[in-house]
Amino acid sequence: MKKPVKVAITGAAGQIAYSLIFRIASGSMLGPDQPVILQLLDIPDSLEKLKGTVMEIDDCAFPLVSGVVATADPMEAFDGTDYALLVGARPRGPGMERKDLLTANGAIFVPQGKALAAKASRDVKVLVVGNPANTNALIAASAAKSLDPKQFTAMVRLDHNRAISQLATKTGVSGNDIDKIIIWGNHSSTQYPDITSTTVAGKPAKSLVDQQWIESDFIPTVQQRGAAIIKARGLSSAASAASAAVDHMRDWALGTNGKWVSMGIPSDGSYGIKPGVVYGYPVTCKDGKYEIVQGLPIDAFSRARMDATDAELREERAAIEDLLA
Ligand code: NAI
């Protein structure tokens, strides 16, 4: 057996965490031979509920769980942590404007970024799930001065998986047969699900579906999927969000074998997206590092959508600029 690694999960008493923790504990994220110490963080008001989750983790007698910490102190939760999944965030309350939401989340992600910089492993991999995920990741990265901003990523993998599922259903194949799908930009309704380079069982996706379907059905369905789930379930997506978080971290840590996945990462000028935002890009992962897939042709249709989601991210950034170090 390998030496245990430390995995921190925030919002640990919440609904995404209720799926996520058990997937990580069973080995879905880091493999069946990697023991984990779970470091669970929530706010003081949620600690009683978190106790119940910890009792259930105990009751699973997971062979891979070497320890569980439950705390309301980020310094304790991030102590030595190798992987941090930042799920806890402030939901939009009644009458709350977008700027209020962004600022309220800043109050969470600045101290968490600082605590990660102070306590986490120097190689920590951070995934922000809590919304607005891209801008929360930007805030945390900026507050974590002693860490590389590239260690902070945001989750667009749920959108990526949703896009695979929609295209697989439309073309009558399994999701496994879909390759090279991309989510560009923000995890929000301005995201751009792009199938320009996508193949379906080896054939170009664009030879199998028409432009009308892409524009009027595929793109809006993926963009609005979160709202559709809230409408149907009365609650936001949780198990699928947890599954996407597992996929994101597993691929980053263990590699994608050349397969493309979408990750929200600090923009570096690639594809005309200037540095300064956390933007969804196509990447491949190897040896614990991600690399943007370069050299893709961008037509006018894609360009307009990539720029629109970039503009939204820059508006979000402007609203919290004073929080950036
Ligand atoms: P939830 O409301 O069930 O749980 C959130 C938990 O976070 C609560 O237990 C709360 O006490 C905790 N929390 C709040 N502030 C905290 C802090 N400062 N430190 C630690 N914990 C804190 O929410 P749920 O459904 O689990 O969703 C969590 C977040 O994930 C939301 O922001 C949601 O919008 C987002 N989300 C993101 C997706 C993505 O694709 N990026 C997909 C689905 C949800």
Side-chain angles (χ1 to χ4, degrees), residues 18 32 39 113 117 267 277 306:
Y18 194 67
Q39 298 171 305
S267 55
V277 293
M306 288 163 68

Side-chain angles (χ1 to χ4, degrees), residues 262-284:
S262 304
M263 284 171 72
I265 57 176
S267 55
D268 66 351
S270 295
Y271 296 103
I273 308 301
K274 291 193 296 288
V277 293
V278 170
Y279 192 90
Y281 276 106
V283 301
T284 54

Side-chain angles (χ1 to χ4, degrees), residues 10-11 13-17 41-43 46 87-89 108 112 129-131 133 155 158 187 236-237 241:
T10 76
Q15 53 149 3
I16 292 177
L41 178 74
D42 212 299
I43 55 174
S46 299
V87 180
I108 296 176
Q112 289 190 359
V129 175
N131 279 321
M155 189 164 97
L158 178 55
H187 168 68
S236 63
S237 38

Side-chain angles (χ1 to χ4, degrees), residues 33-311:
D33 59 348
Q34 178 58 67
V36 292
I37 296 170
L38 299 169
Q39 298 171 305
L40 309 178
L41 178 74
D42 212 299
I43 55 174
D45 281 354
S46 299
L47 283 186
E48 192 55 33
K49 189 172 171 204
L50 182 55
K51 246 192 222 169
T53 305
V54 173
M55 284 190 251
E56 288 201 72
I57 299 168
D58 291 345
D59 293 350
C60 291
F62 285 115
L64 290 174
V65 174
S66 303
V68 183
V69 176
T71 178
D73 177 4
M75 293 297 223
E76 191 184 355
F78 297 144
D79 187 22
T81 196
D82 301 289
Y83 301 91
L85 296 102
L86 309 186
V87 180
R90 177 79 189 275
R92 190 186 290 243
M96 216 174 176
E97 298 291 333
R98 215 157 84 113
K99 171 141 176 67
D100 301 333
L101 181 72
L102 286 157
T103 313
N105 275 292
I108 296 176
F109 287 87
V110 169
Q112 289 190 359
K114 286 185 176 161
L116 282 160
K119 302 296 277 187
S121 153
R122 295 305 81 190
D123 296 323
V124 65
K125 289 180 166 54
V126 183
L127 166 62
V128 177
V129 175
N131 279 321
N134 299 53
T135 297
N136 288 341
L138 179 72
I139 294 170
S142 155
K145 288 200 192 63
S146 60
L147 297 171
D148 183 340
K150 285 183 86 174
Q151 291 172 259
F152 288 78
T153 65
M155 189 164 97
V156 294
R157 184 60 178 265
L158 178 55
D159 310 297
H160 179 100
N161 290 348
R162 285 167 172 168
I164 288 177
S165 155
Q166 290 301 319
L167 183 60
T169 305
K170 172 76 178 171
T171 54
V173 300
S174 121
N176 238 350
D177 294 325
I178 309 265
D179 252 327
K180 302 186 174 170
I181 217 157
I182 305 169
I183 302 297
W184 299 100
N186 202 1
H187 168 68
S188 77
S189 57
T190 67
Q191 65 174 272
Y192 171 41
D194 178 8
I195 62 164
T196 311
S197 306
T198 306
T199 58
V200 177
K203 294 195 197 94
K206 285 205 154 181
S207 69
L208 302 173
V209 297
D210 58 40
Q211 189 62 20
Q212 167 73 15
W213 178 78
I214 296 172
E215 285 182 40
S216 319
D217 199 330
F218 172 72
I219 293 176
T221 299
V222 176
Q223 288 173 330
Q224 304 294 338
R225 187 69 163 180
I229 287 168
I230 292 175
K231 189 157 174 263
R233 219 171 82 86
L235 286 167
S236 63
S237 38
S240 55
S243 196
V246 164
D247 289 345
H248 177 118
M249 273 300 198
R250 183 201 56 229
D251 286 347
W252 188 4
L254 305 181
T256 60
N257 280 322
K259 210 175 154 69
W260 300 8
V261 293
S262 304
M263 284 171 72
I265 57 176
S267 55
D268 66 351
S270 295
Y271 296 103
I273 308 301
K274 291 193 296 288
V277 293
V278 170
Y279 192 90
Y281 276 106
V283 301
T284 54
C285 304
K286 198 178 167 199
D287 301 328
K289 300 217 161 14
Y290 57 78
E291 220 173 275
I292 297 175
V293 176
Q294 297 289 354
L296 301 175
I298 305 294
D299 63 15
F301 180 83
S302 293
R303 186 74 262 163
R305 280 155 187 78
M306 288 163 68
D307 289 345
T309 190
D310 182 32

